[in-house]
Amino acid sequence: MRVASINIWGLLVSKDRRARIEALARHLLELADAEAFDIVAVQELWVARDFQWLKQTLAPRYPHAFYFRSGVMGSGLATFSRFPIRDAAFQRFQLNGKAQRPLDGDWWGGKGVGLTRIAIGPSTIVNFYNTHLHAEYDKAAQPYLGHRLCQTDELLRFVAATSAPASASTAGSS
């Protein structure tokens, strides 16, 4: 299975946002079949109409797509797949920036982890996780290191909770 993950830096005010999104779509569609990805995870896709455009444009190669809505600006997460997406879930992170620092955009977004259950065969479902942790903003001072650590812990717990096999007490119950 071939997977790509890309942060497109897609804020409404991002420099050359539309040109970068169009270049990504063009590249994904121009890949030879043998080089094509099966699943593409996108982060920082903040503008809903950008998702709709990508979904429509990529449909010939990636007919299945899911955008995880959350927060004021959205989660920024979208997953595109060659295979059918059977189900999706989203876990919003409890810590997402500081209200007293509104220019640090993470507070406005609803960051978290998105899960899509993708049918890659008649009897094979793959759990595919897409996430984007809090931005660093200042690598030297690391004002959000605690947020990033808590988000990592939540991510790990979500993966464990959603990928664990059914327990013996629930298996076979009606």
Side-chain angles (χ1 to χ4, degrees):
M1 179 174 297
R2 292 176 51 93
V3 174
S5 179
I6 184 166
N7 180 330
I8 63 166
W9 192 48
L11 287 171
L12 187 59
V13 297
S14 298
K15 184 178 180 185
D16 301 322
R17 179 189 100 250
R18 187 61 182 200
R20 283 183 285 102
I21 291 170
E22 289 173 3
L24 171 66
R26 214 172 23 257
H27 176 72
L28 290 172
L29 293 172
E30 289 173 355
L31 290 172
D33 285 342
E35 298 171 333
F37 298 101
D38 296 307
I39 302 170
V40 178
V42 176
Q43 301 84 39
E44 291 198 14
L45 183 63
W46 298 111
V47 180
R49 70 179 176 265
D50 289 344
F51 168 72
Q52 291 302 328
W53 183 86
L54 272 173
K55 180 180 176 183
Q56 180 180 358
T57 302
L58 296 176
R61 178 157 279 170
Y62 302 99
H64 310 281
F66 195 87
Y67 181 74
F68 297 93
R69 301 187 190 288
S70 176
V72 175
M73 293 174 37
S75 70
L77 304 175
T79 300
F80 299 87
S81 174
R82 286 184 40 221
F83 304 106
I85 295 174
R86 296 290 186 222
D87 191 19
F90 183 76
Q91 176 67 44
R92 186 172 173 174
F93 293 138
Q94 292 181 21
L95 292 176
N96 266 317
K98 300 175 183 178
Q100 68 271 27
R101 293 184 69 166
L103 295 179
D104 292 352
D106 290 70
W107 186 77
W108 298 98
K111 287 190 172 182
V113 54
L115 160 64
T116 47
R117 291 194 167 99
I118 300 173
I120 62 168
S123 60
T124 304
I125 303 288
V126 170
N127 284 0
F128 183 81
Y129 299 89
N130 186 357
T131 192
H132 185 255
L133 301 181
H134 197 294
E136 290 182 297
Y137 293 105
D138 181 348
K139 289 186 180 192
Q142 297 189 34
Y144 293 106
L145 178 60
H147 289 237
R148 291 169 63 85
L149 291 172
C150 287
Q151 290 173 345
T152 301
D153 181 64
E154 287 181 69
L155 168 64
L156 293 172
R157 290 175 189 270
F158 182 72
V159 170
T162 57
S163 63
S167 67
S169 62
T170 59
S173 64
S174 48

